[in-house]
Amino acid sequence: DTEVTQTPKHLVMGMTNKKSLKCEQHMGHRAMYWYKQKAKKPPELMFVYSYEKLSINESVPSRFSPECPNSSLLNLHLHALQPEDSALYLCASSQVSGGLETQYFGPGTRLLVL
Amino acid sequence: AQTVTQSQPEMSVQEAETVTLSCTYDTSESDYYLFWYKQPPSRQMILVIRQEAYKQQNATENRFSVNFQKAAKSFSLKISDSQLGDAAMYFCALLSGNTPLVFGKGTRLSVIA
């Protein structure tokens, strides 16, 4: 089973709203990732969690706040977003980070900021 | 620095025919993995095939196979007996050392009935 689930599938929010994206995997993977993807572009890495600790933050604005409550869950808290933050947000997981491990992706959350 | 180049922004193939998507990469590491991911219009990123650099044998997954030319740093994907469901954006990706996964810009594949 290589399933990563993400909720919600779609999200529309205003610039003053607070919302959260959720990602879950039950493959026993110890590394989880958030990516942002604009249309017709490759995914851009935002954050990496390894063993529930933040290991990489690719200079993401503070209006994006990741959280890893346990080894199976990864959240992305959103606050005061801008219209240019509208994108597909992908979650991925792998056995470990910093090694040659295959990443498996979830279906993504399509976010629209008005 | 690690780089991945996909020189074909768009390609098309007739249903049941064979198509090859190109990918070249650069890394100074001796140990690395290469991947092809497929992203259909539904936008889910699906792993198609992967190749370990230390393996000389080309990876194969059903109708999908790769031509891995290590010296030339080339990693092309061949899709045989193309089906309408193969229409998607295909991303080549490189994982090496301790650096994050590096993606190419993608090739959009259309399948003509």
Side-chain angles (χ1 to χ4, degrees):
Chain A
D1 184 11
T2 56
E3 187 177 22
V4 177
T5 60
Q6 289 186 244
T7 54
K9 289 185 179 179
H10 303 275
L11 180 62
V12 179
M13 59 186 292
M15 289 189 283
T16 58
N17 291 157
K18 286 185 181 181
K19 297 285 184 184
S20 296
L21 310 185
K22 179 180 172 181
C23 173
E24 194 166 5
Q25 58 88 14
H26 294 288
M27 296 178 279
H29 289 174
R30 301 311 300 269
M32 297 184 77
Y33 310 78
W34 280 116
Y35 288 86
K36 173 183 178 181
Q37 187 181 25
K38 290 284 206 178
K40 299 184 181 181
K41 299 288 187 183
E44 299 171 20
L45 183 64
M46 300 174 72
F47 303 103
V48 181
Y49 271 82
S50 180
Y51 292 91
E52 295 138 64
K53 293 189 190 308
L54 185 64
S55 60
I56 295 177
N57 176 343
E58 293 286 354
S59 303
V60 178
S62 59
R63 58 185 183 268
F64 295 91
S65 175
E67 178 197 18
C68 190
N70 59 55
S71 59
S72 301
L73 275 176
L74 184 66
N75 298 320
L76 186 62
H77 303 297
L78 314 173
H79 174 54
L81 294 192
Q82 304 297 309
E84 60 264 29
D85 296 322
S86 299
L88 181 71
Y89 288 84
L90 293 166
C91 175
S93 71
S94 66
Q95 288 284 357
V96 293
S97 68
L100 299 178
E101 297 292 342
T102 302
Q103 290 183 28
Y104 295 93
F105 286 81
T109 293
R110 193 170 303 196
L111 174 66
L112 177 61
V113 182
L114 301 175
Chain B
Q2 285 79 7
T3 61
V4 175
T5 302
Q6 293 179 250
S7 58
Q8 306 151 315
E10 295 184 1
M11 290 195 72
S12 62
V13 61
Q14 206 77 27
E15 199 175 3
E17 296 296 311
T18 296
V19 64
T20 298
L21 309 184
S22 301
C23 172
T24 58
Y25 63 93
D26 192 21
T27 178
S28 57
E29 301 286 337
S30 58
D31 199 14
Y32 53 90
Y33 276 18
L34 291 157
F35 305 88
W36 278 99
Y37 283 94
K38 168 186 176 182
Q39 191 174 39
S42 66
R43 308 292 298 275
Q44 169 131 31
M45 191 80 76
I46 301 164
L47 177 68
V48 175
I49 199 165
R50 74 175 186 181
Q51 174 81 42
E52 294 89 336
Y54 64 85
K55 288 188 177 178
Q56 292 186 333
Q57 188 171 7
N58 289 326
T60 298
E61 287 286 343
N62 301 313
R63 297 182 295 107
F64 299 88
S65 61
V66 298
N67 183 4
F68 175 45
Q69 300 289 327
K70 192 171 184 178
K73 295 185 176 178
S74 171
F75 182 62
S76 60
L77 174 69
K78 186 172 86 170
I79 307 174
S80 304
D81 186 27
S82 297
Q83 300 175 0
L84 294 176
D86 296 333
M89 182 73 91
Y90 286 82
F91 291 100
C92 179
L94 166 68
L95 185 62
S96 64
N98 288 323
T99 58
L101 192 61
V102 177
F103 288 91
K105 290 187 175 181
T107 297
R108 180 170 299 281
L109 177 68
S110 301
V111 180
I112 303 164

